[in-house]
Amino acid sequence: ASLRQFERPRPRNAAADPEVLEDVRLAAKQLRQVAQDVDVQMRRLARGGDPNEPGYLSNRQLRALRARVELELGRTYRIQAEAYWPGSDDSILAASEAERYLQRMSPTAIGSELWWESRVQLLICLRLKQDWTAIAAQLRNLSGQRLPKETLAAIQAERVRVAIVREDWQQLKRLVADGRSPDDPKPAEWSLALVEGYLALARQARTRQETEAARDWEQRATRLVNEQQPKRSAGWLRRVEAQLAAASENPSDSTSSPDLQMHIARGLYRQGQYGPAVAAYQKAAAHALAAGQTDEAFRGTLTAAAIEIELQHRAAAQQMLRKLSLQLPQHPRAAEAHFMAIKLAAP
């Protein structure tokens, strides 16, 4: 369960996260040991062992445990695949290992919650391997089945991500057209995929120099995040902000809203990218100031200054605080910013 915190996008120029890889290796080792223990008990029962003996499980319990272990091993290796550079040999190898465990799921699990979750995990692995033929086959197998709402939404989310990877912009526009999930209200995974889709379409519009279209897609992403934030866990917001940060390479000033920049800045900070986080907070403050959102301008600048102080960049923090206090001398927090600037200027 502790691995769930690592289910997050990485900056596209980042190396594999050693913390994630170490936790994945430890989790996989422990899960394989459980799998071996299950096999030992199942062989014991096959030789006529007493299932009621203290300390042993019944055959039914062992089959259920094996299905759970295979699912978690598949999920673990999928997380490892995502920790590597997309499309790299290491990523494909880990995704293939995940697929091996997921394909071994016992037929007795078909139709259960574990089974549907394993089909979603399998789709993710096939996307990481860019095996489009196998994805199409899996989707055909799932079509027409009575899927749980969360599974249906997760599958639709994977359709969005496949369209992004394949740069199939028309299909992506169709999938996110009205922002509705297969069964509203939006499940968490679907709303996250919508944000990813909007951002991908914004990036594509910027490459085509379609400024208005880029702004529209980014505004949709911002509205969705603000709409969903009160309904979601802190983990959901961290994933969104990590996604925003990962998508924020050289964002255009003309197409970045203050809200969007604030989310990007928080995502960058959590990833340890302190310099880019400071720049993003300053950009958010500048956009907010231009829009007359003085409270947001102060919040962005004060946060950027706090990071600079944390990094021992006192001169930079002093300069930005002094500049803001002089720009907005009537703001309730202007005196606070000015006092902080004076303290930072002291030897």
Side-chain angles (χ1 to χ4, degrees):
S2 64
L3 284 174
R4 304 292 173 85
Q5 63 181 303
F6 299 116
E7 295 184 281
R8 62 177 184 259
R10 294 182 302 110
R12 283 173 284 177
N13 60 348
D17 188 330
E19 181 186 359
V20 176
L21 295 179
E22 182 58 33
D23 279 4
V24 164
R25 293 187 188 104
L26 178 60
K29 180 180 179 180
Q30 293 171 339
L31 286 166
R32 286 196 301 269
Q33 183 59 57
V34 174
Q36 290 173 13
D37 293 344
V38 169
D39 288 341
V40 168
Q41 287 209 32
M42 293 189 80
R43 287 196 295 270
R44 172 186 168 277
L45 287 178
R47 292 194 299 266
D50 183 1
N52 298 315
E53 186 177 337
Y56 290 93
L57 301 175
S58 68
N59 196 47
R60 179 179 177 182
Q61 290 171 323
L62 289 169
R63 286 199 305 270
L65 180 56
R66 172 184 274 174
R68 167 59 72 180
V69 169
E70 287 171 344
L71 171 61
E72 294 304 330
L73 275 165
R75 192 199 313 275
T76 298
Y77 283 110
R78 187 268 297 169
I79 294 172
Q80 182 181 40
E82 291 183 325
Y84 290 116
W85 184 266
S88 67
D89 290 344
D90 286 334
S91 178
I92 292 173
L93 183 63
S96 297
E97 186 69 0
E99 181 186 0
R100 183 171 72 86
Y101 282 107
L102 294 167
Q103 294 283 27
R104 284 171 47 183
M105 287 281 291
S106 170
T108 59
I110 292 176
S112 69
E113 180 182 343
L114 291 184
W115 176 258
W116 298 128
E117 173 62 16
S118 73
R119 298 309 91 185
V120 172
Q121 293 295 319
L122 182 57
L123 282 173
I124 298 172
C125 293
L126 295 174
R127 169 172 56 80
L128 293 171
K129 293 174 63 178
Q130 298 190 12
D131 190 341
W132 314 127
T133 301
I135 287 176
Q138 282 295 319
L139 291 174
R140 283 196 300 273
N141 290 338
L142 292 168
S143 65
Q145 299 196 44
R146 294 176 61 113
L147 301 174
K149 182 182 74 172
E150 291 293 334
T151 301
L152 186 60
I155 290 171
Q156 192 74 347
E158 275 308 298
R159 291 180 187 272
V160 167
R161 291 168 180 138
V162 167
I164 292 172
V165 175
R166 301 192 73 176
E167 298 185 351
D168 188 344
W169 307 120
Q170 292 306 312
Q171 170 69 353
L172 182 56
K173 287 178 181 177
R174 285 192 291 270
L175 289 168
V176 305
D178 58 4
R180 290 179 57 83
S181 73
D183 184 6
D184 271 345
K186 300 177 183 66
E189 196 62 30
W190 171 245
S191 57
L192 181 62
L194 271 180
V195 173
E196 295 173 31
Y198 292 154
L199 292 173
L201 289 166
R203 290 195 300 273
Q204 191 261 349
R206 281 199 299 270
T207 62
R208 297 169 61 92
Q209 299 184 341
E210 298 173 352
T211 304
E212 288 301 319
R215 181 182 294 112
D216 177 64
W217 290 117
E218 288 189 342
Q219 286 174 347
R220 292 194 196 195
T222 303
R223 284 196 300 268
L224 180 58
V225 173
N226 291 338
E227 167 200 312
Q228 293 292 307
Q229 185 174 345
K231 309 173 187 177
R232 302 300 180 195
S233 66
W236 182 89
L237 183 60
R238 284 195 295 271
R239 289 182 68 190
V240 167
E241 290 179 343
Q243 180 66 41
L244 289 166
S248 67
E249 294 179 3
N250 301 318
S252 167
D253 285 346
S254 62
T255 59
S256 294
S257 71
D259 282 345
L260 187 63
Q261 281 295 330
M262 289 292 280
H263 287 302
I264 288 171
R266 283 193 289 267
L268 290 167
Y269 181 80
R270 289 195 182 100
Q271 292 175 352
Q273 299 190 70
Y274 302 123
V278 168
Y281 274 118
Q282 287 181 299
K283 183 174 289 184
H287 284 302
L289 191 60
Q293 300 173 14
T294 56
D295 288 345
E296 288 299 298
F298 262 86
R299 188 157 68 96
T301 301
L302 290 173
T303 307
I307 297 172
E308 292 285 39
I309 294 169
E310 184 182 338
L311 297 173
Q312 302 298 313
H313 300 161
R314 293 170 61 89
Q318 188 269 342
Q319 185 178 16
M320 67 176 67
L321 289 169
R322 181 176 181 275
K323 179 181 177 181
L324 185 64
S325 65
L326 294 175
Q327 280 180 315
L328 297 170
Q330 303 304 316
H331 192 276
R333 302 191 71 179
E336 175 189 353
H338 188 66
F339 180 67
M340 289 176 64
I342 291 172
K343 287 183 64 177
L344 289 168

